Amino acid sequence: MDLLPIKRALLSATDKTGLVEFATFLSENGVELVSTGGTARMLKEAGLKVTPVSDVTGFPEILGGRVKTLNPYIHGGILADKDNPEHLATLKEHEIAAFDLIVVNLYNFEDAAARGLDLRGAVEEIDIGGPCMLRAAAKNFHSILVLPDPSQYDAVKKELVENDMRVGLALRRDMAVKTFARTSQYDGMITEYLASKDI
């Protein structure tokens, strides 16, 4: 589809710059907000209605937060092709609600490495769920908008206002390109770090 209506968003941000303002804009325009951990707490404290990810998955965060979004109720909602009737039927069969917008940025591994953590400590700062969601949404840009950086909020708000809370395919493709560049950079940084460490 060309113009994608934004009705349901998943927000999970390490860098929370401008997030309350952006989430408020979404909420005031009828967008359902789903969020994780600290992001959900911050948005609730700002007075926004937010559904915790655990309410969507029916499963709590486990393993010290290592597993929270790796779930079919999340990734099915991200990866479903909205132009594919079989995908839509599968969502309906399993009562999975599709997402239209994913706002995710990653644990700051560079800062963690710079703090001089030991190898085990640094490894805990490697984001797994975030890159999975980013890559899934970027792959499915025909059906979802992905935002990997707070610097993109204003441009997206402008397009949403101009298009009655819909975003065009060109913007979605551009954000997918930026997302794959970001995850590639992230993986490269971790690769260099691990290769440089003795066991």
Side-chain angles (χ1 to χ4, degrees), residues 80-158:
D81 178 352
K82 294 179 177 122
D83 293 320
N84 185 326
E86 291 182 6
H87 284 202
L88 297 180
T90 298
L91 293 185
K92 184 175 181 180
E93 177 186 356
H94 296 285
E95 299 182 338
I96 297 172
F99 290 102
D100 308 302
L101 168 63
I102 300 294
V103 177
V104 173
N105 50 69
L106 305 175
Y107 299 164
N108 194 328
F109 184 79
E110 187 174 19
D111 281 0
R115 293 202 307 267
L117 298 174
D118 64 17
L119 186 57
R120 272 193 172 274
V123 163
E124 287 304 317
E125 300 297 321
I126 296 174
D127 200 328
I128 300 300
C132 287
M133 289 190 290
L134 286 174
R135 288 173 55 82
K139 170 181 176 171
N140 197 31
F141 69 88
H142 283 92
S143 292
I144 194 167
L145 171 65
V146 57
L147 296 182
D149 191 276
S151 65
Q152 295 141 0
Y153 297 161
D154 286 345
V156 169
K157 283 171 65 174
K158 183 174 183 291

Side-chain angles (χ1 to χ4, degrees), residues 5-125:
I6 303 298
K7 300 176 182 177
R8 188 171 190 245
L10 174 59
L11 302 91
S12 181
T14 299
D15 182 351
K16 296 177 175 59
T17 305
L19 186 63
V20 167
E21 292 80 5
F22 186 60
T24 299
F25 164 79
L26 294 174
S27 182
E28 288 175 348
N29 284 278
V31 178
E32 177 190 352
L33 305 180
V34 177
S35 190
T36 60
T39 304
R41 284 192 296 275
M42 184 186 75
L43 296 178
K44 285 182 178 179
E45 287 170 2
L48 297 174
K49 182 179 178 182
V50 182
T51 301
V53 160
S54 58
D55 286 3
V56 174
T57 64
F59 207 86
E61 295 182 14
I62 61 171
L63 306 181
R66 281 188 171 193
V67 179
K68 51 192 172 218
T69 57
L70 300 170
N71 184 282
Y73 283 99
I74 300 300
H75 283 272
I78 295 172
L79 281 165
D81 178 352
K82 294 179 177 122
D83 293 320
N84 185 326
E86 291 182 6
H87 284 202
L88 297 180
T90 298
L91 293 185
K92 184 175 181 180
E93 177 186 356
H94 296 285
E95 299 182 338
I96 297 172
F99 290 102
D100 308 302
L101 168 63
I102 300 294
V103 177
V104 173
N105 50 69
L106 305 175
Y107 299 164
N108 194 328
F109 184 79
E110 187 174 19
D111 281 0
R115 293 202 307 267
L117 298 174
D118 64 17
L119 186 57
R120 272 193 172 274
V123 163
E124 287 304 317
E125 300 297 321

